[in-house]
Amino acid sequence: DAKTTQPTSMDCAEGRAANLPCNHSTISGNEYVYWYRQIHSQGPQYIIHGLKNNETNEMASLIITEDRKSSTLILPHATLRDTAVYYCIVRVAGLAGTASKLTFGTGTRLQVTL
Amino acid sequence: DVKVTQSSRYLVKRTGEKVFLECVQDMDHENMFWYRQDPGLGLRLIYFSYDVKMKEKGDIPEGYSVSREKKERFSLILESASTNQTSMYLCASQGQGYQPQHFGDGTRLSIL
């Protein structure tokens, strides 16, 4: 799986958009980009994933550059409850009868402040 | 919403004990995983299963075994617990292909 690079930490004011970047310059054509977050002492929470098109769900938006070498997770109106470590992961889709693990890097620690 | 339920949030056991960690998912997913998470080491895959009664070793299977008798349930067994198995244990389930893995809340296991 391709390696990802994320900033160690970021701050965001409550109510503002949080834009979390991720670099995955060695991504290959069949690898998806996944975003998770982990709040202290809880299991990782799935946020969103995509292949090459931009994606949006009730939690966030995912913007993937045209060359797919980087992406940005956008939390449109950050709240204090969004304070967490955010992980960007690149993974090949598993074939039927197989499965592939997730490799979490160090992620970005997002601090949302009043 | 996908629900992955781990039987205990916190567990304290003694060295040498046989320990069972249970995980149940409600989405009829084929794939299930057991990871452990330690500070500075990230998530490490212990075992996974892609079907009932099927299992595959992950990166750190030593000292562990698993059981998957029913599709919705995946159990992790510490055959003879040791202090270096003190950790946060995370179960995940996943549908086919590119579907994301969904995690339980984790079990923080302490071996004394």
Side-chain angles (χ1 to χ4, degrees), chain A residues 3 11-12 16 20 23 25 29 31-33 41 54-55 58 63 66 76 84-85 88-89 93 99 102 104-105 109:
Chain A
K3 182 178 172 57
D11 291 330
C12 179
R16 304 297 293 269
L20 292 93
N23 181 286
S25 57
E31 289 182 307
Y32 284 73
V33 180
S41 296
N54 297 338
E55 302 287 345
E58 65 278 3
I63 308 298
E66 194 169 340
V85 179
C88 167
I89 298 160
L102 291 177
F104 283 61
R109 185 170 298 276

Side-chain angles (χ1 to χ4, degrees), chain B residues 7-108:
Chain B
S7 52
S8 304
R9 288 299 308 276
Y10 300 94
L11 205 54
V12 180
K13 296 291 183 180
R14 298 205 173 274
T15 55
E17 281 193 69
K18 192 168 185 176
V19 181
F20 294 85
L21 303 183
E22 307 286 341
C23 176
V24 177
Q25 51 97 0
D26 66 355
M27 285 300 291
D28 201 36
H29 284 166
E30 291 79 8
N31 304 301
M32 296 188 74
F33 305 78
W34 275 106
Y35 295 87
R36 62 178 283 180
Q37 185 175 30
D38 301 287
L41 297 177
L43 262 70
R44 292 181 288 168
L45 181 65
I46 305 171
Y47 268 97
F48 67 94
S49 168
Y50 55 86
D51 202 351
V52 175
K53 298 191 185 295
M54 305 303 290
K55 59 186 178 184
E56 294 285 344
K57 293 180 180 179
D59 299 321
I60 51 164
E62 297 78 20
Y64 303 94
S65 62
V66 290
S67 172
R68 193 161 181 208
E69 296 296 318
K70 293 184 178 182
K71 192 174 186 180
E72 68 270 19
R73 186 179 298 270
F74 192 35
S75 302
L76 179 70
I77 304 149
L78 284 66
E79 298 291 345
S80 178
S82 64
T83 55
N84 63 10
Q85 292 178 310
T86 290
S87 186
M88 168 77 108
Y89 288 87
L90 292 160
C91 174
S93 76
Q94 183 204 333
Q96 292 283 15
Y98 60 86
Q99 295 304 310
Q101 291 184 22
H102 294 272
F103 287 82
D105 283 336
T107 296
R108 191 166 293 280

Side-chain angles (χ1 to χ4, degrees), chain A residues 16-59:
Chain A
R16 304 297 293 269
N19 296 281
L20 292 93
C22 179
N23 181 286
H24 32 79
S25 57
T26 60
I27 194 169
S28 57
N30 60 351
E31 289 182 307
Y32 284 73
V33 180
Y34 298 81
W35 282 83
Y36 286 79
R37 70 182 183 185
Q38 190 169 24
I39 297 167
H40 184 61
S41 296
Q42 296 182 21
Q45 178 187 21
Y46 163 74
I47 301 173
I48 199 167
H49 73 282
L51 182 62
K52 53 184 177 182
N53 297 322
N54 297 338
E55 302 287 345
T56 295
N57 62 21
E58 65 278 3
M59 288 183 69

